[in-house]
Amino acid sequence: MRTAPWGVEERLAELVPVLLDRLDEMTDRMVEILVETEPAYREAMSGGDPQMRATLRRNLEVGVRGLLPDVPAAYHQSHAEGARAVGRLRAAQGIPLEAVLRAYRLGGQITWEALVALSRQGDRHDDGLLLEVAGSLWRTNDRGCSAAAEGYRAEERRRSGLDAVERQRLLDGLLDGRGGDPAFARTAADLLSVPLAGRLAVAVAPVRDEGDEPLDPAAALLKRGIRSAWGTRSQAAVGVVGLGSRRLPELLSWLGAVASGPVGVSSVVEGAAAVAGAYRLAETAARTLPDGVARVVTIDDRLPEALLSNSPEILSRLVSQTLGRLLELPGDEREVLLETLSAFLDADASPTRAADLLYCHRNTVMHRLRRIESVTGRKLTDPRARLLWQLALLGTGHHDAGHRRPVRDSA
């Protein structure tokens, strides 16, 4: 801002802190107008993107602080960088450029209206002040619009220039362990538009049938402010997800809403160098789920199953030696006994609680348990036998089937 006449600097020094205290109120007003008038912003905010409101508030704050005289050039440069980053993000989210620019101008309008209202409180009429700062306010706003448009168009060029083959090549490099190469990691982060230097998770969704479409929730996640890159590998959809400050259960919930089959997710890792290991964990987690089950699990949810799935020969031996002749029984009897055994183990070896889980009489459970002892040659009272049974049930998927208590008519 140019040098202000006498008295204007002092008055602005009084007004700017008051406006900063009202930023939340101003942001609420801006959100209200955008939701009402801009369908793209309405959809993004209804999708639960917490960064959207934070970005709007930050842009308002920049405009307010820019009212102060003698704002250093570095401040305007930082503002421009931030606006370019917002432009890139909005392009990736699919929000039209016209809507992005209208949002920036709306921020200037709300700041101006708040300044006018504040300057005219009481008996004061600071028309000279308003004339002095008007030009600076709108110049700051125009700089933000220009920088946002520049970032938006740069993101459009980047996305149009990155074809599916190049995207898959970069993703494969991360999954193969090239994330440890700083140059490759920087290139992948820039071209895939995923923050690979922060908190990451990898998701794997097997494609069981040839005609099935691979899972690709990138657009749905982006509406929530989460950047991710998806491709295919070994008949599975694979995604590298930049979590930022979001918690892993949030990602699991969002994936669960769009998944039509099993999905395995790694634990949270830090940085591109850890992506390859995270991929192996997510792939193992997905492999522990039965086909056709629409379920999202983390590797930490499935550690025992993961151990068994990685040793198929040992698993086969464990099942045959532990369950033995039980698996050779006729279908109906076999399923009843397996369900009873699963309930008994879940009930901490209590026949009474197992009966409650199965909604049958305790004597019925005891009869079945004696039959299990007979056909397996193992004792219910033996802790090692119970451990082996638990592992065998996990390995065959019977424990996942669970046991549901029938719902009685409440009438």
Short mmCIF file of all heavy atoms in Angstrom, two decimals, residues 15-59:
data_model
loop_
_atom_site.label_atom_id
_atom_site.label_comp_id
_atom_site.label_asym_id
_atom_site.label_seq_id
_atom_site.Cartn_x
_atom_site.Cartn_y
_atom_site.Cartn_z
N LEU A 15 -8.97 -0.71 13.51
CA LEU A 15 -10.03 -1.50 12.88
C LEU A 15 -9.60 -2.92 12.51
O LEU A 15 -10.38 -3.86 12.63
CB LEU A 15 -10.53 -0.78 11.63
CG LEU A 15 -11.21 0.58 11.84
CD1 LEU A 15 -11.63 1.18 10.52
CD2 LEU A 15 -12.41 0.43 12.77
N VAL A 16 -8.36 -3.07 12.02
CA VAL A 16 -7.93 -4.39 11.54
C VAL A 16 -8.00 -5.46 12.63
O VAL A 16 -8.51 -6.56 12.39
CB VAL A 16 -6.52 -4.30 10.92
CG1 VAL A 16 -5.93 -5.70 10.71
CG2 VAL A 16 -6.58 -3.56 9.59
N PRO A 17 -7.52 -5.21 13.86
CA PRO A 17 -7.65 -6.25 14.90
C PRO A 17 -9.11 -6.64 15.18
O PRO A 17 -9.40 -7.81 15.45
CB PRO A 17 -7.01 -5.61 16.13
CG PRO A 17 -6.04 -4.60 15.57
CD PRO A 17 -6.72 -4.06 14.37
N VAL A 18 -10.02 -5.65 15.07
CA VAL A 18 -11.44 -5.97 15.29
C VAL A 18 -11.96 -6.87 14.17
O VAL A 18 -12.70 -7.83 14.41
CB VAL A 18 -12.27 -4.67 15.37
CG1 VAL A 18 -13.75 -5.01 15.57
CG2 VAL A 18 -11.77 -3.79 16.50
N LEU A 19 -11.57 -6.56 12.94
CA LEU A 19 -11.97 -7.41 11.81
C LEU A 19 -11.40 -8.82 11.95
O LEU A 19 -12.08 -9.81 11.63
CB LEU A 19 -11.51 -6.79 10.50
CG LEU A 19 -12.26 -5.54 10.03
CD1 LEU A 19 -11.61 -4.98 8.76
CD2 LEU A 19 -13.72 -5.85 9.77
N LEU A 20 -10.16 -8.92 12.41
CA LEU A 20 -9.56 -10.25 12.60
C LEU A 20 -10.34 -11.05 13.63
O LEU A 20 -10.48 -12.28 13.51
CB LEU A 20 -8.09 -10.11 13.01
CG LEU A 20 -7.14 -9.58 11.94
CD1 LEU A 20 -5.75 -9.36 12.50
CD2 LEU A 20 -7.08 -10.54 10.76
N ASP A 21 -10.85 -10.37 14.65
CA ASP A 21 -11.66 -11.06 15.66
C ASP A 21 -12.99 -11.54 15.09
O ASP A 21 -13.63 -12.41 15.66
CB ASP A 21 -11.93 -10.13 16.85
CG ASP A 21 -10.69 -9.91 17.71
OD1 ASP A 21 -9.78 -10.76 17.63
OD2 ASP A 21 -10.65 -8.91 18.45
N ARG A 22 -13.40 -10.94 13.98
CA ARG A 22 -14.70 -11.30 13.37
C ARG A 22 -14.54 -12.24 12.17
O ARG A 22 -15.49 -12.43 11.41
CB ARG A 22 -15.42 -10.02 12.92
CG ARG A 22 -15.77 -9.10 14.09
CD ARG A 22 -16.54 -7.88 13.61
NE ARG A 22 -16.84 -6.99 14.74
CZ ARG A 22 -17.52 -5.84 14.63
NH1 ARG A 22 -17.95 -5.45 13.45
NH2 ARG A 22 -17.75 -5.11 15.71
N LEU A 23 -13.35 -12.83 12.01
CA LEU A 23 -13.11 -13.68 10.84
C LEU A 23 -14.06 -14.87 10.79
O LEU A 23 -14.54 -15.25 9.71
CB LEU A 23 -11.66 -14.17 10.84
CG LEU A 23 -10.61 -13.22 10.26
CD1 LEU A 23 -9.23 -13.83 10.39
CD2 LEU A 23 -10.93 -12.91 8.79
N ASP A 24 -14.33 -15.49 11.93
CA ASP A 24 -15.23 -16.65 11.93
C ASP A 24 -16.63 -16.25 11.46
O ASP A 24 -17.27 -16.97 10.68
CB ASP A 24 -15.30 -17.28 13.32
CG ASP A 24 -14.03 -18.04 13.67
OD1 ASP A 24 -13.37 -18.53 12.74
OD2 ASP A 24 -13.70 -18.14 14.86
N GLU A 25 -17.09 -15.11 11.92
CA GLU A 25 -18.40 -14.61 11.50
C GLU A 25 -18.42 -14.31 10.01
O GLU A 25 -19.38 -14.64 9.29
CB GLU A 25 -18.73 -13.35 12.31
CG GLU A 25 -20.04 -12.69 11.96
CD GLU A 25 -20.23 -11.39 12.73
OE1 GLU A 25 -19.67 -11.24 13.83
OE2 GLU A 25 -20.96 -10.51 12.21
N MET A 26 -17.35 -13.69 9.53
CA MET A 26 -17.25 -13.38 8.10
C MET A 26 -17.17 -14.67 7.27
O MET A 26 -17.77 -14.77 6.18
CB MET A 26 -16.02 -12.52 7.85
CG MET A 26 -16.12 -11.13 8.47
SD MET A 26 -14.51 -10.26 8.57
CE MET A 26 -14.08 -10.11 6.84
N THR A 27 -16.44 -15.67 7.78
CA THR A 27 -16.33 -16.94 7.07
C THR A 27 -17.69 -17.63 7.01
O THR A 27 -18.06 -18.21 5.96
CB THR A 27 -15.31 -17.86 7.76
OG1 THR A 27 -14.06 -17.17 7.88
CG2 THR A 27 -15.10 -19.14 6.96
N ASP A 28 -18.42 -17.61 8.10
CA ASP A 28 -19.76 -18.21 8.10
C ASP A 28 -20.64 -17.58 7.03
O ASP A 28 -21.38 -18.27 6.33
CB ASP A 28 -20.42 -18.04 9.47
CG ASP A 28 -19.77 -18.89 10.56
OD1 ASP A 28 -19.08 -19.86 10.19
OD2 ASP A 28 -19.93 -18.58 11.75
N ARG A 29 -20.55 -16.27 6.91
CA ARG A 29 -21.34 -15.56 5.90
C ARG A 29 -20.92 -15.98 4.50
O ARG A 29 -21.76 -16.20 3.62
CB ARG A 29 -21.15 -14.05 6.09
CG ARG A 29 -21.81 -13.18 5.03
CD ARG A 29 -23.31 -13.30 5.05
NE ARG A 29 -23.92 -12.41 4.07
CZ ARG A 29 -25.06 -12.69 3.44
NH1 ARG A 29 -25.72 -13.82 3.71
NH2 ARG A 29 -25.57 -11.84 2.58
N MET A 30 -19.62 -16.11 4.30
CA MET A 30 -19.12 -16.51 2.97
C MET A 30 -19.55 -17.92 2.63
O MET A 30 -19.99 -18.19 1.49
CB MET A 30 -17.59 -16.39 2.95
CG MET A 30 -16.98 -16.59 1.58
SD MET A 30 -15.22 -16.15 1.57
CE MET A 30 -14.83 -16.50 -0.15
N VAL A 31 -19.44 -18.83 3.58
CA VAL A 31 -19.87 -20.22 3.35
C VAL A 31 -21.36 -20.26 3.02
O VAL A 31 -21.80 -20.97 2.10
CB VAL A 31 -19.55 -21.08 4.59
CG1 VAL A 31 -20.24 -22.44 4.48
CG2 VAL A 31 -18.05 -21.26 4.75
N GLU A 32 -22.15 -19.49 3.76
CA GLU A 32 -23.60 -19.46 3.53
C GLU A 32 -23.93 -19.03 2.10
O GLU A 32 -24.77 -19.64 1.43
CB GLU A 32 -24.24 -18.50 4.54
CG GLU A 32 -25.75 -18.36 4.40
CD GLU A 32 -26.33 -17.32 5.34
OE1 GLU A 32 -25.59 -16.80 6.21
OE2 GLU A 32 -27.52 -17.01 5.21
N ILE A 33 -23.25 -17.99 1.63
CA ILE A 33 -23.52 -17.49 0.28
C ILE A 33 -23.07 -18.51 -0.78
O ILE A 33 -23.77 -18.76 -1.76
CB ILE A 33 -22.83 -16.13 0.07
CG1 ILE A 33 -23.46 -15.08 0.99
CG2 ILE A 33 -22.93 -15.69 -1.38
CD1 ILE A 33 -22.74 -13.74 0.97
N LEU A 34 -21.88 -19.09 -0.59
CA LEU A 34 -21.36 -20.05 -1.57
C LEU A 34 -22.25 -21.29 -1.65
O LEU A 34 -22.52 -21.80 -2.75
CB LEU A 34 -19.93 -20.45 -1.21
CG LEU A 34 -18.85 -19.40 -1.48
CD1 LEU A 34 -17.51 -19.88 -0.96
CD2 LEU A 34 -18.76 -19.09 -2.96
N VAL A 35 -22.69 -21.78 -0.52
CA VAL A 35 -23.56 -22.96 -0.51
C VAL A 35 -24.87 -22.65 -1.23
O VAL A 35 -25.44 -23.50 -1.92
CB VAL A 35 -23.82 -23.43 0.94
CG1 VAL A 35 -24.94 -24.45 0.99
CG2 VAL A 35 -22.54 -24.02 1.53
N GLU A 36 -25.33 -21.42 -1.07
CA GLU A 36 -26.61 -21.04 -1.67
C GLU A 36 -26.50 -20.77 -3.17
O GLU A 36 -27.43 -21.07 -3.93
CB GLU A 36 -27.14 -19.79 -0.97
CG GLU A 36 -28.51 -19.33 -1.46
CD GLU A 36 -29.02 -18.11 -0.72
OE1 GLU A 36 -28.50 -17.83 0.39
OE2 GLU A 36 -29.93 -17.45 -1.24
N THR A 37 -25.35 -20.25 -3.61
CA THR A 37 -25.25 -19.76 -4.99
C THR A 37 -24.34 -20.58 -5.90
O THR A 37 -24.44 -20.46 -7.13
CB THR A 37 -24.75 -18.31 -5.00
OG1 THR A 37 -23.43 -18.25 -4.41
CG2 THR A 37 -25.69 -17.41 -4.21
N GLU A 38 -23.44 -21.39 -5.33
CA GLU A 38 -22.46 -22.12 -6.15
C GLU A 38 -22.62 -23.63 -5.95
O GLU A 38 -22.19 -24.17 -4.93
CB GLU A 38 -21.03 -21.70 -5.80
CG GLU A 38 -20.72 -20.24 -6.07
CD GLU A 38 -20.65 -19.94 -7.56
OE1 GLU A 38 -20.65 -20.90 -8.37
OE2 GLU A 38 -20.61 -18.76 -7.92
N PRO A 39 -23.23 -24.34 -6.91
CA PRO A 39 -23.45 -25.80 -6.75
C PRO A 39 -22.17 -26.58 -6.49
O PRO A 39 -22.18 -27.52 -5.71
CB PRO A 39 -24.08 -26.20 -8.09
CG PRO A 39 -24.69 -24.93 -8.62
CD PRO A 39 -23.81 -23.82 -8.15
N ALA A 40 -21.06 -26.18 -7.14
CA ALA A 40 -19.81 -26.93 -6.96
C ALA A 40 -19.30 -26.82 -5.52
O ALA A 40 -18.85 -27.80 -4.93
CB ALA A 40 -18.74 -26.42 -7.93
N TYR A 41 -19.38 -25.64 -4.95
CA TYR A 41 -18.96 -25.46 -3.55
C TYR A 41 -19.94 -26.15 -2.60
O TYR A 41 -19.54 -26.70 -1.58
CB TYR A 41 -18.85 -23.97 -3.22
CG TYR A 41 -17.53 -23.37 -3.63
CD1 TYR A 41 -17.34 -22.86 -4.91
CD2 TYR A 41 -16.46 -23.32 -2.75
CE1 TYR A 41 -16.13 -22.31 -5.31
CE2 TYR A 41 -15.24 -22.78 -3.12
CZ TYR A 41 -15.08 -22.27 -4.41
OH TYR A 41 -13.87 -21.74 -4.78
N ARG A 42 -21.22 -26.10 -2.93
CA ARG A 42 -22.22 -26.77 -2.10
C ARG A 42 -21.94 -28.27 -2.03
O ARG A 42 -21.98 -28.88 -0.95
CB ARG A 42 -23.62 -26.51 -2.66
CG ARG A 42 -24.73 -27.18 -1.85
CD ARG A 42 -26.09 -26.62 -2.21
NE ARG A 42 -26.42 -26.79 -3.62
CZ ARG A 42 -26.56 -25.80 -4.49
NH1 ARG A 42 -26.38 -24.54 -4.11
NH2 ARG A 42 -26.88 -26.04 -5.75
N GLU A 43 -21.63 -28.87 -3.18
CA GLU A 43 -21.34 -30.31 -3.21
C GLU A 43 -20.06 -30.63 -2.44
O GLU A 43 -20.00 -31.60 -1.69
CB GLU A 43 -21.22 -30.79 -4.65
CG GLU A 43 -20.97 -32.28 -4.78
CD GLU A 43 -20.83 -32.72 -6.22
OE1 GLU A 43 -20.98 -31.87 -7.14
OE2 GLU A 43 -20.58 -33.92 -6.44
N ALA A 44 -19.03 -29.80 -2.62
CA ALA A 44 -17.76 -30.05 -1.93
C ALA A 44 -17.91 -29.95 -0.42
O ALA A 44 -17.37 -30.77 0.33
CB ALA A 44 -16.70 -29.05 -2.42
N MET A 45 -18.66 -28.97 0.04
CA MET A 45 -18.82 -28.80 1.49
C MET A 45 -19.73 -29.87 2.09
O MET A 45 -19.52 -30.31 3.21
CB MET A 45 -19.36 -27.41 1.80
CG MET A 45 -18.34 -26.31 1.51
SD MET A 45 -18.88 -24.68 2.04
CE MET A 45 -18.01 -23.65 0.87
N SER A 46 -20.73 -30.30 1.33
CA SER A 46 -21.60 -31.36 1.84
C SER A 46 -20.86 -32.68 1.90
O SER A 46 -21.24 -33.59 2.63
CB SER A 46 -22.84 -31.51 0.95
OG SER A 46 -22.48 -31.94 -0.35
N GLY A 47 -19.76 -32.80 1.12
CA GLY A 47 -18.95 -34.02 1.14
C GLY A 47 -18.04 -34.14 2.34
O GLY A 47 -17.37 -35.14 2.52
N GLY A 48 -17.99 -33.10 3.17
CA GLY A 48 -17.23 -33.19 4.42
C GLY A 48 -15.77 -32.78 4.30
O GLY A 48 -14.93 -33.30 5.02
N ASP A 49 -15.45 -31.87 3.36
CA ASP A 49 -14.07 -31.40 3.22
C ASP A 49 -13.80 -30.30 4.26
O ASP A 49 -14.26 -29.17 4.10
CB ASP A 49 -13.85 -30.86 1.81
CG ASP A 49 -12.43 -30.33 1.60
OD1 ASP A 49 -11.62 -30.44 2.54
OD2 ASP A 49 -12.14 -29.84 0.50
N PRO A 50 -13.06 -30.58 5.34
CA PRO A 50 -12.83 -29.58 6.38
C PRO A 50 -11.87 -28.49 5.92
O PRO A 50 -11.82 -27.41 6.51
CB PRO A 50 -12.24 -30.39 7.53
CG PRO A 50 -11.52 -31.50 6.85
CD PRO A 50 -12.33 -31.83 5.62
N GLN A 51 -11.08 -28.77 4.89
CA GLN A 51 -10.10 -27.79 4.41
C GLN A 51 -10.76 -26.65 3.66
O GLN A 51 -10.20 -25.57 3.54
CB GLN A 51 -9.06 -28.48 3.52
CG GLN A 51 -8.23 -29.52 4.25
CD GLN A 51 -7.23 -30.18 3.32
OE1 GLN A 51 -7.09 -29.81 2.17
NE2 GLN A 51 -6.53 -31.18 3.82
N MET A 52 -11.96 -26.89 3.13
CA MET A 52 -12.63 -25.86 2.34
C MET A 52 -12.89 -24.62 3.19
O MET A 52 -12.53 -23.51 2.81
CB MET A 52 -13.94 -26.41 1.79
CG MET A 52 -14.71 -25.43 0.93
SD MET A 52 -13.94 -25.16 -0.67
CE MET A 52 -14.38 -26.67 -1.52
N ARG A 53 -13.49 -24.79 4.35
CA ARG A 53 -13.79 -23.64 5.20
C ARG A 53 -12.50 -22.99 5.69
O ARG A 53 -12.39 -21.76 5.74
CB ARG A 53 -14.64 -24.07 6.39
CG ARG A 53 -15.17 -22.89 7.21
CD ARG A 53 -15.97 -23.34 8.43
NE ARG A 53 -16.66 -22.22 9.04
CZ ARG A 53 -16.08 -21.31 9.82
NH1 ARG A 53 -14.79 -21.41 10.08
NH2 ARG A 53 -16.78 -20.30 10.33
N ALA A 54 -11.51 -23.82 6.03
CA ALA A 54 -10.24 -23.28 6.50
C ALA A 54 -9.57 -22.42 5.42
O ALA A 54 -8.98 -21.37 5.71
CB ALA A 54 -9.31 -24.41 6.93
N THR A 55 -9.68 -22.85 4.16
CA THR A 55 -9.09 -22.08 3.07
C THR A 55 -9.81 -20.76 2.88
O THR A 55 -9.18 -19.71 2.67
CB THR A 55 -9.14 -22.90 1.76
OG1 THR A 55 -8.41 -24.11 1.94
CG2 THR A 55 -8.52 -22.13 0.61
N LEU A 56 -11.14 -20.79 2.95
CA LEU A 56 -11.90 -19.55 2.81
C LEU A 56 -11.55 -18.57 3.93
O LEU A 56 -11.38 -17.37 3.69
CB LEU A 56 -13.40 -19.87 2.85
CG LEU A 56 -13.93 -20.73 1.69
CD1 LEU A 56 -15.40 -21.06 1.93
CD2 LEU A 56 -13.74 -20.05 0.35
N ARG A 57 -11.42 -19.08 5.14
CA ARG A 57 -11.08 -18.21 6.27
C ARG A 57 -9.68 -17.61 6.09
O ARG A 57 -9.45 -16.43 6.38
CB ARG A 57 -11.15 -19.00 7.58
CG ARG A 57 -10.98 -18.15 8.83
CD ARG A 57 -10.96 -19.02 10.08
NE ARG A 57 -11.01 -18.22 11.28
CZ ARG A 57 -9.99 -17.59 11.84
NH1 ARG A 57 -8.78 -17.67 11.25
NH2 ARG A 57 -10.13 -16.90 12.96
N ARG A 58 -8.75 -18.43 5.62
CA ARG A 58 -7.38 -17.96 5.43
C ARG A 58 -7.32 -16.86 4.37
O ARG A 58 -6.60 -15.87 4.52
CB ARG A 58 -6.48 -19.13 5.03
CG ARG A 58 -5.00 -18.79 5.02
CD ARG A 58 -4.16 -20.05 5.09
NE ARG A 58 -4.50 -21.00 4.04
CZ ARG A 58 -5.07 -22.18 4.26
NH1 ARG A 58 -5.39 -22.54 5.48
NH2 ARG A 58 -5.34 -22.99 3.25
N ASN A 59 -8.11 -17.01 3.30
CA ASN A 59 -8.13 -15.98 2.26
C ASN A 59 -8.72 -14.68 2.79
O ASN A 59 -8.26 -13.58 2.44
CB ASN A 59 -8.92 -16.47 1.05
CG ASN A 59 -8.18 -17.55 0.29
OD1 ASN A 59 -6.96 -17.67 0.41
ND2 ASN A 59 -8.90 -18.36 -0.48
#
